[in-house]
Amino acid sequence: MSAAAPIKARGAPFRVMPGFKLSLGFTLFYLALIVLIPLSSVFLNTFTMTWEGFVRAVTSERVMASYRLTFGASLIAALFNVVFGGILAWVLVRYKFPGKRIIDALVDLPFALPTAVAGITLTALYSSNGWFGQFIEGVLGIKVAFTPLGVVVALTFIGLPFVVRTVQPVLEDAERELEEAAASLGASSLQTFIRVIFPTIMPSLLTGFALAFARATGEYGSVIFIAGNMPMVSEITPLFIITKLEQYDYAGATAIAVVMLVVSFLLLLTINLLQAWTRGKAKKS
């Protein structure tokens, strides 16, 4: 007679995959190998500099100009993607029209397209003799390629899928009954959106914003072609780091990378705290 199977104690947590300690150990090892060790090497290389050398490396006039362009353009691009990416997600979820699946597939194109190809394509489109550039510059008098505006265009292109793919499943799972109830109680379309829909998608919008912003701050391939890379005008910080590495100034490159890392982490932490506060407020209401 075979031994009886052990009976699971009442109240004990049930896990589909056994070996929690082994799985946790592998997770921590993988995280340290892929994330923590490379990031720690950046800080270790920076610590080889004196404090005066560090300050001089990260606060020079040219570096400060690259900070303003990188973080400013990333912020503007992420805000654009929150607005128009949210609208695109709404259209894809709430409406049926010919070619919907094609448009839905095209949203993921920036994920699959090599960044260098995206940069060359955008430069060809928005240059003075490009399809879009000649109209914008000739009619509106606005130059896009080789200006900070071109950087914003490139960062908007690569960040759009993050917002759409974050908001889209939330809209799909949203309860239509709440909208119908609000309409039956006399709420207008604007009131229904502000009071019912927007609080539901607000956390996902913040998540999409954070992802788009984080991707934009470190973007290199799609920007260097359309930016023009003019010092003090259209030179992004990742390009400046590459320039330092080509000059074998590893400490200077890692010092600038540390500043970008710390600023990005603080911004993402703020956004995550705001997202948690928004979810808590939504649950209370």
Side-chain angles (χ1 to χ4, degrees):
M1 183 176 181
S2 60
I7 301 175
K8 180 176 176 292
R10 180 176 298 177
F14 174 76
R15 297 185 178 93
V16 177
M17 296 182 62
F20 170 72
K21 294 181 179 180
L22 179 62
S23 301
L24 179 61
F26 176 79
T27 301
L28 295 177
F29 171 76
Y30 188 79
L31 180 64
L33 185 65
I34 300 299
V35 179
L36 298 181
I37 294 177
L39 291 182
S40 63
S41 65
V42 173
F43 285 92
L44 290 176
N45 282 328
T46 305
F47 289 156
T48 60
M49 305 176 65
T50 62
W51 175 251
E52 292 77 11
F54 174 79
V55 173
R56 185 168 56 253
V58 301
T59 59
S60 66
E61 187 177 1
R62 186 175 172 184
V63 175
M64 295 299 293
S66 71
Y67 291 154
R68 288 191 292 269
L69 176 61
T70 299
F71 290 108
S74 299
L75 179 62
I76 295 172
L79 291 175
F80 267 110
N81 283 326
V82 165
V83 176
F84 296 105
I87 295 174
L88 179 56
W90 176 272
V91 172
L92 290 175
V93 172
R94 294 301 178 92
Y95 298 101
K96 295 181 179 180
F97 52 91
K100 176 181 175 180
R101 292 186 177 180
I102 297 177
I103 296 177
D104 190 41
L106 288 176
V107 171
D108 294 326
L109 186 62
F111 283 151
L113 193 67
T115 55
V117 175
I120 295 173
T121 303
L122 292 174
T123 304
L125 289 175
Y126 288 98
S127 61
S128 299
N129 57 351
W131 289 356
F132 300 157
Q134 61 181 349
F135 172 77
I136 297 174
E137 189 171 348
V139 177
L140 303 178
I142 300 175
K143 187 176 182 180
V144 179
F146 314 124
T147 65
L149 180 58
V151 177
V152 175
V153 171
L155 296 182
T156 304
F157 172 79
I158 58 100
L160 178 65
F162 291 98
V163 178
V164 176
R165 294 311 184 206
T166 306
V167 177
Q168 197 171 1
V170 177
L171 285 174
E172 291 175 349
D173 295 337
E175 299 179 3
R176 302 286 186 91
E177 293 80 6
L178 296 178
E179 301 174 32
E180 296 173 356
S184 64
L185 293 174
S188 63
S189 299
L190 181 61
Q191 290 175 329
T192 302
F193 176 79
I194 295 176
R195 300 292 183 88
V196 179
I197 301 174
F198 186 73
T200 304
I201 65 174
M202 182 63 179
S204 60
L205 284 174
L206 290 174
T207 302
F209 173 85
L211 293 174
F213 178 82
R215 168 67 189 275
T217 54
E219 181 60 22
Y220 175 78
S222 63
V223 177
I224 56 173
F225 295 101
I226 197 172
N229 309 320
M230 291 179 286
M232 307 296 298
V233 178
S234 59
E235 186 179 44
I236 59 174
T237 306
L239 175 62
F240 200 80
I241 295 175
I242 295 297
T243 303
K244 287 284 187 181
L245 292 175
E246 291 176 347
Q247 297 171 353
Y248 300 101
D249 185 7
Y250 299 115
T254 55
I256 300 172
V258 164
V259 172
M260 288 196 66
L261 180 64
V262 171
V263 174
S264 299
F265 176 78
L266 292 176
L267 290 173
L268 292 176
L269 178 62
T270 303
I271 293 171
N272 286 332
L273 292 176
L274 181 60
Q275 181 184 15
W277 175 79
T278 305
R279 286 177 174 172
K281 188 177 180 180
K283 288 181 179 178
K284 291 180 180 179
S285 60

